[in-house]
Amino acid sequence: DGKGIIAPKKEPESDDPLVFVEIDAKFNGNWVAFLERNLNAEVPVNNNASVGRYSVIIQFVVDREGAVSDINPLTNHGYGMEAEAVRVLKKAVKWEPAIQNGMKVKAYRKQVIVFVVNDEG
């Protein structure tokens, strides 16, 4: 007759990170302030990068507890930018996990970090 006890939601069956989720993982705090404190924006300048704007894309996994792992750059601009972005993300340990079907899940996250090299001449 459609009446009865509703079974509680179960944990996801697989421990593989999800690619698509309802709510992405997010940094627990002020991301811009964190970058300003930790990112060395002079890395491309110090490595003689050409004038321009470089968007570095880093993919990583945020688990159910908010821990970051499997940090990998998806771009390859060079001049030390990807290495600097990876270094900073390793320090960004406070994340809120992604949400799928009302539950915290392990999921991939992509983060863009922009480096700007200005013409100082």
Side-chain angles (χ1 to χ4, degrees), residues 45 49-51 117-121:
V45 174
S50 301
V51 171
V117 179
N118 294 315
D119 183 6
E120 297 178 13

Side-chain angles (χ1 to χ4, degrees), residues 6 10 24 48 70-71 75 79 93-94 99 102:
I6 298 173
K10 295 187 289 185
D24 276 330
N48 301 313
D70 299 331
I71 303 170
T75 54
Y79 305 104
V93 294
K94 299 185 306 182
I99 304 292

Side-chain angles (χ1 to χ4, degrees), residues 52-67:
R53 181 181 169 97
Y54 300 88
S55 294
V56 173
I57 302 170
I58 306 295
Q59 178 176 275
F60 53 99
V61 173
V62 178
D63 69 15
R64 290 182 190 104
E65 287 76 44

Side-chain angles (χ1 to χ4, degrees), residues 90-116:
K90 286 181 179 176
K91 295 179 81 170
V93 294
K94 299 185 306 182
W95 288 79
E96 293 179 24
I99 304 292
Q100 184 69 19
N101 297 325
M103 296 183 301
K104 295 177 181 180
V105 293
K106 183 176 183 180
Y108 286 105
R109 174 80 160 87
K110 290 181 184 168
Q111 184 66 50
V112 177
I113 297 176
V114 177
F115 290 87
V116 177

